[in-house]
Amino acid sequence: MTDTIGVVILAAGKGTRMKVPTPKALMPALGKSLLDYVIEESFSFAKSVKLPCEIGVVVGHLKEELISHLADKFPNSPLKTAIQREQNGTADALKACFSDHPHFWNHTYTLVACADTPLIRATDFEKLFTTLKNNSQLVGVAASFHLENPTGYGRMVRAANGFHIVEEKDATEVERKMTEVNSGFYILKTSHVKDVLGKISNKNKSGEFYLTDLFQDSFNVEAICFEDGTPFLGVNTMEQLAEVSKELRARHTQKLMVSGVRFLNPESTYIESSVEIGVGSVIYPNVTFLGNTKIGENTVIESGTFIKDSTIANEVQILANSYIEESIIGTGASVGPMARLRPGTEIGTKAKIGNFVEIKKSKLAAGAKVSHLSYVGDAEIGENSNIGCGFITCNYDGANKHKTKIGSNTFVGSDVQMIAPIEIGDNAFIGAGSTITKSVPSEGFAIARSQQVTKEGMAKKFLKTKKSE
Ligand code: UD1
Ligand code: MG
């Protein structure tokens, strides 16, 4: 019979030490939940191990949130969810998986993973599995590592023939000083789990059922002490969350550099794991790129720029301190410095958006220019049209939003307001300082400002001299 593996991810805990109400497994690190990382690595282990694998996730505290998160993030996936009704410890959590899905007992091996360990990699699972598989006498393998400050972790207490694990709360002074810690990742023969799981007691300082009791000096078990413990760093506190996020960030930036992205100061960027950047792009220090953001090739992004859920094409220049959300920017366009592109903005090829320009839900065609101090909302601007400084689309009447449409090759002078709804044709010319209230046809000229009055010599009537004090 073919060997099979049940992978059980424990995600039911409250995460009391995080102090916030969000279930710990759903805490975000570099744009994804802690749990997502562990699930993704479990899937890739399942692929690489070439044995039938089944993945179970044990949920409990705020289970509805976790269940809907799983449905959202892993739709149509074969994940099995089990429910731990009360959070009585890690052994009790594993038990919940077997009671909800009794066929997990049929798997030859059971791999246990903690949801609060997002740096884990499929290769670490493989190492544990190979060790167990290659030694038929063994019933379980645990992963351990050394930590200078082991606070919070279970300690590996080595004996002449084996080892056991002591939780910090239950540890003696001597045991607390031990620096080899338990990672919370194990692979076991399911038959061993079946023999021992039901017998684990909760007679300890926490009153919980510890999964670590599957490992005893008298059992034929092994602990692999990993030289680099980074993949096993667990998140129990906000401080540890920041620590793993830093490592995830470094990994992602490293991956981008390997693929040909140039960072002027990689340590000072915050780029979520979902963000893609093309070869030859140059990223200045102190930028934030979030969510579903795709940046093309040979694009330059200067300091202080924030980009969320946006697509930036090749050869784009985003100048310093620009803020871009749910927008699309075409090839060769230039944006900023200090531009704000709000959701629904599309900037065409080689278009130019200059400083202190805000654009919302608007489409600017190729070569259009809005170079200085303007608000463009609910508008369409055609190819190669030039919008002068201080332009405003008056799109809101206090109740509803209205559209402004400007054709191609049209020139709009500085300090123009357009009272929407309004439509300006192609090749039109709007004089500076105009408040345009009526549509202008193609090739039309419109000016709407009061006549200038000049009176020679009359200035002295208005010039006031300061009274001497
Ligand atoms: C656990 C280990 C500890 C190890 C550490 C590594 C035990 C008893 N201790 O401690 O030896 O050094 O991980 O990071 O196993 N969970 C449930 N149900 C529960 C309790 C916990 O599903 O009733 C889940 C949590 O959501 C979490 C995982 O199990 O994903 C580990 O629980 P946590 O409370 O973080 O255990 P640690 O104290 O870190
Ligand atoms: Mg933990």
Side-chain angles (χ1 to χ4, degrees):
M1 256 198 2
T2 330
D3 287 342
T4 63
I5 307 174
V7 177
V8 184
I9 303 170
L10 310 182
K14 284 198 186 97
T16 316
R17 287 162 282 181
M18 300 299 287
K19 305 281 186 335
V20 292
T22 313
K24 181 167 69 173
L26 296 187
M27 286 301 289
L30 211 68
K32 278 197 276 191
S33 294
L34 298 179
L35 174 61
D36 297 353
Y37 290 98
V38 183
I39 294 179
E40 282 167 12
E41 290 307 304
S42 301
F43 277 128
S44 71
F45 166 69
K47 231 186 206 171
S48 63
V49 77
K50 295 190 181 80
L51 286 183
C53 271
E54 194 172 20
I55 301 170
V57 182
V58 183
V59 300
H61 175 67
L62 296 179
K63 58 181 183 300
E64 294 76 14
E65 270 185 53
L66 276 122
I67 290 169
S68 84
H69 172 86
L70 292 174
D72 185 37
K73 283 283 146 93
F74 302 95
N76 315 314
S77 86
L79 280 180
K80 298 275 184 319
T81 321
I83 293 169
Q84 184 193 19
R85 299 195 193 271
E86 277 178 62
Q87 280 58 72
N88 288 328
T90 43
D92 183 63
L94 181 61
K95 233 188 246 172
C97 184
F98 289 112
S99 14
D100 282 9
H101 303 288
H103 65 273
F104 266 70
W105 288 123
N106 303 333
H107 291 303
T108 328
Y109 304 103
T110 299
L111 193 151
V112 181
C114 291
D116 63 354
T117 311
L119 300 177
I120 199 71
R121 302 157 307 183
T123 47
D124 303 314
F125 291 156
E126 278 162 33
K127 194 162 172 186
L128 287 176
F129 174 65
T130 322
T131 310
L132 184 60
K133 194 168 177 283
N134 291 347
N135 185 342
S136 58
Q137 303 302 307
L138 283 177
V139 295
V141 179
S144 69
F145 59 103
H146 279 279
L147 265 185
E148 222 171 277
N149 174 10
T151 312
Y153 285 85
R155 309 297 202 278
M156 307 300 279
V157 181
R158 300 267 183 179
N161 285 324
F163 72 93
H164 62 279
I165 302 167
V166 178
E167 289 309 298
E168 177 152 290
K169 279 190 187 162
D170 306 296
T172 62
E173 275 300 304
V174 176
E175 286 166 341
R176 267 179 209 213
K177 290 203 177 88
M178 294 178 171
T179 57
E180 187 184 356
V181 298
N182 169 32
S183 69
F185 283 76
Y186 329 98
I187 185 148
L188 302 124
K189 283 199 176 134
T190 310
S191 54
H192 172 69
V193 179
K194 198 162 195 176
D195 287 346
V196 183
L197 194 61
K199 295 177 194 148
I200 290 176
S201 104
N202 62 350
K203 301 229 165 356
N204 52 54
K205 290 258 168 65
S206 309
E208 288 187 359
F209 297 91
Y210 293 158
L211 195 54
T212 46
D213 287 353
L214 290 174
F215 297 88
Q216 297 297 339
D217 297 351
S218 57
F219 298 154
N220 203 343
V221 287
E222 192 173 314
I224 310 179
C225 186
F226 282 70
E227 203 176 315
D228 178 12
T230 314
F232 300 104
L233 289 177
V235 174
N236 296 319
T237 63
M238 286 293 182
E239 215 179 333
Q240 289 169 328
L241 180 65
E243 208 177 306
V244 299
S245 300
K246 189 173 168 196
E247 175 63 21
L248 287 166
R249 214 163 74 213
R251 276 188 193 174
H252 186 51
T253 319
Q254 168 78 16
K255 207 167 108 190
L256 291 167
M257 287 192 279
V258 168
S259 72
V261 179
R262 183 156 73 91
F263 286 90
L264 302 194
N265 182 6
E267 286 79 32
S268 74
T269 57
Y270 184 87
I271 301 176
E272 287 187 345
S273 33
S274 46
V275 174
E276 295 169 21
I277 308 180
V279 59
S281 284
V282 179
I283 311 300
Y284 280 52
N286 191 25
V287 296
T288 304
F289 304 156
L290 308 179
N292 182 20
T293 292
K294 289 187 179 59
I295 296 167
E297 298 178 1
N298 303 315
T299 280
V300 176
I301 303 196
E302 291 187 355
S303 299
T305 294
F306 177 100
I307 304 176
K308 188 177 177 195
D309 297 331
S310 295
T311 303
I312 322 276
N314 301 341
E315 285 149 36
V316 172
Q317 305 275 323
I318 309 281
L319 306 184
N321 296 316
S322 295
Y323 192 100
I324 300 167
E325 262 184 299
E326 292 175 42
S327 294
I328 300 172
I329 301 176
T331 308
S334 165
V335 173
M338 289 155 291
R340 180 172 182 208
L341 306 188
R342 290 169 54 197
T345 294
E346 282 182 44
I347 305 295
T349 308
K350 293 196 174 155
K352 181 175 181 242
I353 306 303
N355 41 210
F356 306 111
V357 172
E358 173 182 352
I359 303 199
K360 185 217 73 168
K361 213 174 172 187
S362 295
K363 213 168 162 174
L364 275 72
K369 289 193 179 78
V370 186
S371 300
H372 332 266
L373 293 151
S374 291
Y375 171 63
V376 177
D378 303 301
E380 270 177 46
I381 299 178
E383 277 183 27
N384 299 319
S385 283
N386 184 87
I387 310 294
C389 175
F391 169 76
I392 300 170
T393 51
C394 305
N395 60 328
Y396 185 50
D397 60 13
N400 296 302
K401 304 274 165 64
H402 302 282
K403 285 201 76 169
T404 298
K405 213 168 159 193
I406 299 173
S408 305
N409 302 306
T410 282
F411 179 90
V412 176
S414 292
D415 189 26
V416 165
Q417 303 92 53
M418 290 197 178
I419 314 293
I422 198 154
E423 202 166 329
I424 314 292
D426 301 333
N427 303 299
F429 192 109
I430 310 295
S434 298
T435 299
I436 301 294
T437 54
K438 296 186 209 101
S439 291
V440 178
S442 288
E443 294 174 24
F445 167 82
I447 190 158
R449 61 184 185 227
S450 47
Q451 291 285 322
Q452 180 173 329
V453 179
T454 308
K455 305 262 168 147
E456 280 184 31
M458 198 167 159
K460 58 179 176 294
K461 189 175 158 195
F462 297 98
L463 289 169
K464 297 193 173 61
T465 36
K466 252 191 183 173
K467 279 181 196 149
S468 53
E469 285 161 23

